[in-house]
Amino acid sequence: MKNLIALIPLLPLIGFLINGLGRKHLPKGVVGIIGSGTVLGSFIISLVIFLQGNFSATPIKYFDFINVGSLQIPFAFQVDQLSTLFLLIITGVGFLIHVYSTSYMHGEKREHFGRYFAYLNLFVFSMLLLVMGANYVIMFIGWEGVGLCSYLLIGYWFKNIDYTKAAKKAFVMNRIGDLGFLLAVFWIIAKIGSVQYEDVFTAASLDKLTPSDITGITLLLFLGATGKSAQIPLYTWLPDAMAGPTPVSALIHAATMVTAGIYMIARSNALFVNAQVTNTVIAIIGAATALLAATIALRQNDIKKVLAYSTVSQLGYMFLALGCGAYTAAVFHVMTHAFFKALLFLGSGSVIHAMSGQQDIRFMGGLKSKLKITYLTFFIGCLAIAGIPPFSGFFSKDAILLSAFEHDKFLYAIGLLTAALTAFYMFRLLFITFNGGFRGTEEQRHHVHESPAAMTLPLIVLAILSIVGGFVGVPEVFLHGGERLGEFLSPVIPTAHHTISHSTELMLMALTTVIAIVAIVIAWMRYRNYKEEQNGALGKLLQNKWYVDELYDSVVVKPINKLGVIANHYFERSGIDYLVNGVGRLVNYGGRQLRWMQSGQVGSYVLLMVISMVAFFFLQFFLRK
Amino acid sequence: MGITQILFWILAAASLLSALMVVISKSPVYSVIWLIVTFFTISAHYVLLNAQFLAVVNIIVYAGAIMVLFLFVIMLMNLNKETEPQKNRWLKLIGAVAGGCLLVVMVAALRDTDSRMAQLGSGNIGLIQNLGAVLFKEYVVPFEISSILFLSAMVGAVVIGKKEDSKVVDIAGDEAKRRVAEARESMGV
Amino acid sequence: MDIRYYIFLSLALFVIGIIGVLTRRNAIIVFMCIELMLNAVNLLLVAFSKMHHLAAGAANPTAGSEAQLFVFFIMVVAAAEVSVGLAIIVMLYRNTHSVDINFLNRLKH
């Protein structure tokens, strides 16, 4: 069992090594098989572990990682219900996306194809480390690893300077969050003296923390989560991260990596339940992010940008759930979101593939008849994200809204509004892309074709998962003995009991559904036949993403640049440079002045010797007495 | 003040004077001669200290062998000129001052050492038979090793002094053969 | 005789040797000055030997003989040194037609 568990992350690592080292020699087929096969292996092992069902919170220790004084950090994995669920999502969705990639990336050169799969495998490895680690340090290793892979994959087409800039932006933004995470870990070490989950989450350890400690630690952890999971104020990197290949967006920037923050907070729920301030902050930031990103998504014309903002918005939803204490709901939404968002991204990839790289939906349209499978699966994805029953998104979103309603009515209202907006912009995207007349070039019209099976099969599987994935968490209202997910996770995450009556719950569900359907109808009426939109003031504001990037640019980047220029000019040039050059010049000058001493003539050396002998004896006999 | 003390002072003055003359003399040959005088006065000091073995060895080795070597070299190279290129005047002055400083410092430092007597004229450790006994009993290994030192110095001197060009040796050989042939001819053989 | 007189005499001879080394450019004279310095040391050693002999008295009749043997070995080394040193000077003369030590400035390079 121990070795089997170790194999889960090891397989992708081996795949990474083979693909990375042999990228110039291996044919594409072999690379694809190794890349997908290793992840499939991990998935099968995860499935076996899941089906065996003997989870335990005791960590499985492999070796001592850090052993300094009283601080002991073993390299250990913890395979309990929560991590198993994430394992299944990561390896399952990851495998589908790997298969999809073998076809999507087929146009790349052999070397770059191998590089792509090496990065992808490395990402899966890091992500698995992140969720399997039995302490914060292992989690942090994975956390940094996924950040690195995200950077590498966003900048995969590194010859395009904008893409590398996007990668840099993602990396820097993530670093800000990582700093918070790191400080939180230090704080935990300082107060508790251990980073093992089993030690930290015990009542005895938690007693050592004062309320301000808990607030500080959880706020710092949340800062880490905002970086990785793209929340206000650090969300702007995610839309730019769409510079990477579409399967990467699906895997990293929709299904897995960006949910790391949710995993981390769900994992640390024992800390967070006692931190009221932090929970309020999380809920507010989550709701605000959800609304803000949803409004921006209304007026985006890049198919991937819409999905990116939708991802940010959905992540905001999850944080809203976390802030309301509904950890199960958040994890549930992570799962369903992984299904339908991966599906939507892969569908968009299929569309982009068919349109020979065109990403602007204004130049698409009428693809319904040509891309039947893509259209159908995309449609299912849209229904799922819009929260139409009985698709998966309905159940998870409903669970979140329910807990928000319980917690705070205002937050619920924001959530509801966001749900309506979500339905609206997703169907706007769908209608503009697939309905109406074709608006691309003649060349593209001839080129448009359905994608090969390697791409459509993952779409179909994910579509099925998007339909049925929600049934693991059917609420009590519909089915006695529902909430199976909550029950499954209950050893790790204490189950929250709803205090709301069933009739209220049903009413809320009906409200959500009606609002979503109304939004869809409005979208149908407006965008069935797409015409150029006239942007009002608000539209312009939305199209430019509330000018947040510009705001950051002028508030953070420019002053720092200015500071840099000033520092460069005054401290570097006239301070440090001057000093350093001065030392150099002094040595140079001294050397030139002392050159006569090294005449090379024996006589002068003897003279110096005698003089120093005099000095030595003088010191010896007269001064040391 | 006994006769030995008077002798000491006279000898001291003589050795200092002759040592100074070594340095001052313009011609290398004079320097060598003055150095030989210095060695003789030092040998006389040895005699005064009743170190007769060393006195004899000093004369044989230094005044005899070594100084003769010096003279040979000077004469072989025909260096008996008084036109030695002079050092920079300042450097000379500085050298002299530095040496003088050393003397002053050392004398000042050792001025108030304990006054202890050195045995003059008596005591027989310096006699050949006593020194020889010690030398060949306790110091026989260093003594033998010194012979190796001599051997290596000899080899070294030959190697360094040899003309680097091997052709020269051959020419010399040819020259000798030619001369032999000429001599035979003249003798009518 | 007071040992200090021997010390001062030796020092004076030694310093004269040093001054010779510092002020002369003729390699042979420099070399002779070095011999002078060696002799100054020898004289001092012998004087010390006799001083120790007197101090030890009848208790140790061979006291001080080591110093005289030391002088003997110094002479040995000096003789070897002279033979090699003069060979070097001869070679120097052969190559440069001068015995000026200022030509020996290859250490600069």
Side-chain angles (χ1 to χ4, degrees):
Chain A
M1 193 65 186
K2 188 176 169 182
N3 293 333
L4 203 62
I5 287 170
L7 263 186
I8 298 177
L10 268 183
L11 279 174
L13 184 66
I14 293 166
F16 157 67
L17 290 175
I18 295 174
N19 282 340
L21 296 174
R23 63 183 188 279
K24 290 190 178 160
H25 312 291
L26 295 174
K28 286 183 191 173
V30 177
V31 169
I33 288 169
I34 290 171
S36 319
T38 48
V39 181
L40 178 65
S42 300
F43 176 64
I44 290 169
I45 298 170
S46 310
L47 206 59
V48 168
I49 288 169
F50 173 71
L51 292 176
Q52 277 185 345
N54 51 350
F55 309 107
S56 79
T58 0
I60 303 156
K61 187 182 157 184
Y62 289 93
F63 54 85
D64 280 331
F65 181 53
I66 293 175
N67 207 345
V68 195
S70 62
L71 178 67
Q72 292 187 331
I73 303 173
F75 191 91
F77 288 153
Q78 182 168 343
V79 182
D80 55 12
Q81 287 83 349
L82 183 63
S83 36
T84 310
L85 184 71
F86 270 86
L87 283 183
L88 288 173
I89 296 172
I90 293 161
T91 53
V93 176
F95 168 64
L96 291 174
I97 289 169
H98 274 73
V99 172
Y100 182 90
S101 299
T102 56
S103 171
Y104 187 84
M105 301 299 285
H106 210 264
E108 293 292 312
K109 278 186 191 148
R110 176 196 279 186
E111 186 183 335
H112 296 295
F113 191 75
R115 186 164 62 89
Y116 173 81
F117 271 91
Y119 290 165
L120 221 52
N121 276 357
L122 183 64
F123 168 76
V124 173
F125 164 72
S126 311
M127 194 68 206
L128 291 173
L129 265 192
L130 196 160
V131 296
M132 289 174 78
N135 54 52
Y136 281 111
V137 172
I138 306 293
M139 190 201 257
F140 187 73
I141 297 171
W143 190 272
E144 292 294 314
V146 293
L148 169 70
C149 294
S150 160
Y151 165 78
L152 290 172
L153 283 164
I154 295 169
Y156 172 71
W157 285 303
F158 52 78
K159 283 181 182 161
N160 186 325
I161 194 77
D162 285 336
Y163 291 2
T164 52
K165 274 184 183 164
K168 212 159 65 184
K169 185 175 180 184
F171 199 72
V172 171
M173 287 272 189
N174 267 304
R175 294 303 311 166
I176 300 172
D178 295 347
L179 179 68
F181 187 8
L182 204 56
L183 289 177
V185 173
F186 288 150
W187 200 329
I188 291 173
I189 291 175
K191 289 288 169 181
I192 296 178
S194 170
V195 287
Q196 288 280 94
Y197 300 143
E198 53 165 357
D199 299 333
V200 176
F201 299 147
T202 54
S205 302
L206 293 175
D207 282 345
K208 289 183 196 164
L209 302 172
T210 61
S212 55
D213 281 339
I214 290 187
T215 310
I217 291 171
T218 49
L219 274 177
L220 285 172
L221 284 177
F222 177 59
L223 178 64
T226 56
K228 197 63 74 191
S229 297
Q231 295 299 295
I232 291 174
L234 299 178
Y235 74 91
T236 55
W237 68 268
L238 186 57
D240 285 11
M242 295 303 128
T246 311
V248 170
S249 311
L251 177 63
I252 300 184
H253 305 120
T256 52
M257 185 187 90
V258 288
T259 60
I262 290 117
Y263 169 77
M264 187 245 278
I265 291 179
R267 172 60 81 194
S268 320
N269 63 72
L271 285 171
F272 278 83
V273 284
N274 297 320
Q276 280 316 316
V277 180
T278 314
N279 283 339
T280 314
V281 171
I282 294 176
I284 290 171
I285 284 188
T289 311
L291 186 63
L292 183 82
T295 53
I296 295 174
L298 291 176
R299 280 299 171 101
Q300 294 302 308
N301 290 321
D302 184 322
I303 185 167
K304 286 179 72 183
K305 280 272 162 73
V306 177
L307 292 174
Y309 279 106
S310 137
T311 306
V312 175
S313 172
Q314 297 301 310
L315 289 167
Y317 251 110
M318 297 172 206
F319 277 97
L320 174 62
L322 292 173
C324 297
Y327 300 103
T328 317
V331 173
F332 186 24
H333 200 57
V334 165
M335 189 183 90
T336 56
H337 178 255
F339 296 150
F340 59 68
K341 191 48 70 65
L343 167 63
L344 289 169
F345 263 115
L346 295 186
S348 77
S350 179
V351 170
I352 294 166
H353 192 67
M355 297 291 295
S356 341
Q358 178 60 265
Q359 298 196 5
D360 196 327
I361 50 174
R362 285 172 298 187
F363 302 108
M364 296 179 184
L367 299 176
K368 188 159 66 172
S369 52
K370 286 170 181 148
L371 308 175
K372 283 208 177 65
I373 301 175
T374 307
Y375 171 67
L376 201 64
T377 50
F378 203 88
F379 188 57
I380 291 170
C382 285
L383 287 175
I385 196 173
I388 304 298
F391 295 94
S392 59
F394 168 71
F395 297 106
S396 55
K397 198 178 270 187
D398 191 66
I400 291 174
L401 286 174
L402 191 65
S403 59
F405 182 77
E406 257 180 309
H407 199 259
D408 189 308
K409 301 287 183 292
F410 179 66
L411 291 176
Y412 171 74
I414 292 180
L416 200 61
L417 179 58
T418 309
L421 290 176
T422 306
F424 181 78
Y425 68 69
M426 282 316 297
F427 277 87
R428 166 180 176 267
L429 179 69
L430 180 80
F431 294 143
I432 293 180
T433 310
F434 290 98
N435 286 33
F438 188 78
R439 294 182 296 276
T441 59
E442 273 308 300
E443 203 181 325
Q444 284 169 331
R445 185 196 293 277
H446 289 298
H447 183 71
V448 171
H449 61 278
E450 183 57 282
S451 304
M455 283 165 74
T456 49
L457 271 179
L459 288 179
I460 293 166
V461 175
L462 284 169
I464 293 167
L465 284 172
S466 300
I467 297 169
V468 302
F471 292 118
V472 297
V474 178
E476 286 278 349
V477 184
F478 294 123
L479 187 68
H480 188 67
E483 304 267 12
R484 294 294 297 278
L485 187 74
E487 207 175 295
F488 173 68
L489 289 175
S490 57
V492 189
I493 299 171
T495 333
H497 289 288
H498 297 305
T499 49
I500 294 176
S501 70
H502 281 186
S503 53
T504 322
E505 198 178 335
L506 279 173
M507 259 177 62
L508 290 177
M509 282 178 190
L511 182 64
T512 322
T513 314
V514 166
I515 283 182
I517 289 171
V518 167
I520 291 169
V521 169
I522 295 173
W524 165 254
M525 284 166 31
R526 280 195 65 174
Y527 297 109
R528 185 178 39 180
N529 284 308
Y530 175 77
K531 285 184 215 66
E532 197 65 39
E533 280 173 296
Q534 294 301 315
N535 277 331
L538 187 65
K540 222 169 214 169
L541 192 64
L542 295 180
Q543 198 161 28
N544 288 306
K545 310 151 198 167
W546 293 101
Y547 294 102
V548 170
D549 273 330
E550 287 75 7
L551 182 75
Y552 282 0
D553 199 46
S554 56
V555 172
V556 180
V557 179
K558 277 193 185 142
I560 288 181
N561 267 342
K562 278 242 175 69
L563 200 68
V565 168
I566 291 169
N568 181 29
H569 195 75
Y570 291 103
F571 295 106
E572 177 71 22
R573 289 283 154 72
S574 47
I576 294 169
D577 259 16
Y578 198 72
L579 206 69
V580 172
N581 288 344
V583 169
R585 234 174 270 146
L586 193 72
V587 170
N588 209 342
Y589 175 79
R592 216 172 297 135
Q593 297 309 307
L594 289 175
R595 199 162 60 182
W596 64 270
M597 286 176 73
Q598 297 290 327
S599 60
Q601 286 174 0
V602 186
S604 62
Y605 294 136
V606 177
L607 177 62
L608 286 176
M609 197 173 91
V610 171
I611 291 172
S612 41
M613 265 165 69
V614 171
F616 171 75
F617 284 124
F618 192 78
L619 284 176
Q620 176 73 19
F621 289 121
F622 300 115
L623 295 185
R624 280 191 52 200
K625 267 179 188 167
Chain B
M1 200 194 272
I3 184 77
T4 43
Q5 266 91 344
I6 295 170
L7 270 177
F8 171 80
W9 289 114
I10 292 171
L11 285 173
S15 51
L16 283 177
L17 186 73
S18 49
L20 266 179
M21 290 309 288
V22 172
V23 177
I24 294 171
S25 296
K26 291 260 188 284
S27 161
V29 175
Y30 286 144
S31 282
V32 171
I33 306 248
W34 278 116
L35 191 59
I36 291 172
V37 173
T38 314
F39 288 159
F40 269 102
T41 57
I42 286 175
S43 283
H45 273 297
Y46 291 162
V47 173
L48 212 59
L49 286 161
N50 211 17
Q52 282 137 6
F53 173 65
L54 287 181
V56 171
V57 170
N58 200 35
I59 288 173
I60 294 173
V61 173
Y62 267 113
I66 294 180
M67 295 327 289
V68 167
L69 259 179
F70 269 102
L71 272 178
F72 269 179
V73 170
I74 289 170
M75 288 172 172
L76 269 174
M77 290 194 252
N78 200 15
L79 286 178
N80 193 16
K81 283 178 251 164
E82 301 192 356
T83 55
E84 181 191 343
Q86 289 301 301
K87 262 193 172 169
N88 183 343
R89 188 183 284 269
W90 281 106
L91 266 180
K92 267 187 165 176
L93 192 66
I94 290 172
V97 168
C101 282
L102 186 63
L103 181 66
V104 169
V105 167
M106 294 298 287
V107 167
L110 300 173
R111 199 169 34 124
D112 22 299
T113 42
D114 295 340
S115 165
R116 288 171 69 178
M117 286 316 206
Q119 196 177 27
L120 291 186
S122 56
N124 50 6
I125 48 160
L127 302 184
I128 289 184
Q129 84 186 77
N130 294 328
L131 272 186
V134 179
L135 182 62
F136 287 104
K137 272 183 192 162
E138 294 168 36
Y139 290 89
V140 67
V141 176
F143 182 73
E144 294 297 335
I145 289 175
S146 66
S147 68
I148 298 175
L149 176 71
F150 267 128
L151 185 66
S152 52
M154 200 166 76
V155 173
V158 170
V159 169
I160 293 170
K162 197 180 69 173
K163 290 204 171 171
E164 285 158 31
D165 212 341
S166 58
K167 269 187 206 160
V168 180
V169 180
D170 286 342
I171 291 165
D174 289 347
E175 176 84 8
K177 276 179 197 164
R178 195 174 55 78
R179 282 197 185 159
V180 170
E182 274 174 9
R184 280 186 177 172
E185 258 174 43
S186 65
M187 285 164 73
V189 179
Chain C
M1 199 67 209
D2 198 329
I3 192 71
R4 282 183 292 179
Y5 297 135
Y6 278 101
I7 293 177
F8 296 149
L9 174 62
S10 300
L11 264 177
L13 287 173
F14 192 84
V15 167
I16 288 171
I18 283 185
I19 292 174
V21 169
L22 289 179
T23 52
R24 299 302 295 261
R25 283 173 68 176
N26 189 326
I28 292 177
I29 293 181
V30 168
F31 206 25
M32 288 196 299
C33 289
I34 292 171
E35 296 302 314
L36 188 62
M37 285 150 75
L38 276 174
N39 265 279
V41 172
N42 284 353
L43 177 60
L44 193 57
L45 273 170
V46 173
F48 277 134
S49 133
K50 295 299 284 188
M51 184 189 87
H52 281 295
H53 187 66
L54 185 65
N60 187 0
T62 60
S65 54
E66 290 88 353
Q68 300 210 8
L69 282 174
F70 220 93
V71 172
F72 175 71
F73 283 116
I74 289 176
M75 285 177 181
V76 168
V77 173
E81 175 215 332
V82 165
S83 64
V84 176
L86 282 175
I88 291 174
I89 289 174
V90 168
M91 198 189 64
L92 171 74
Y93 183 74
R94 199 186 287 149
N95 287 336
T96 63
H97 292 285
S98 165
V99 287
D100 189 344
I101 54 162
N102 282 8
F103 282 113
L104 297 176
N105 61 358
R106 281 294 170 91
L107 284 176
K108 194 158 70 178
H109 304 297

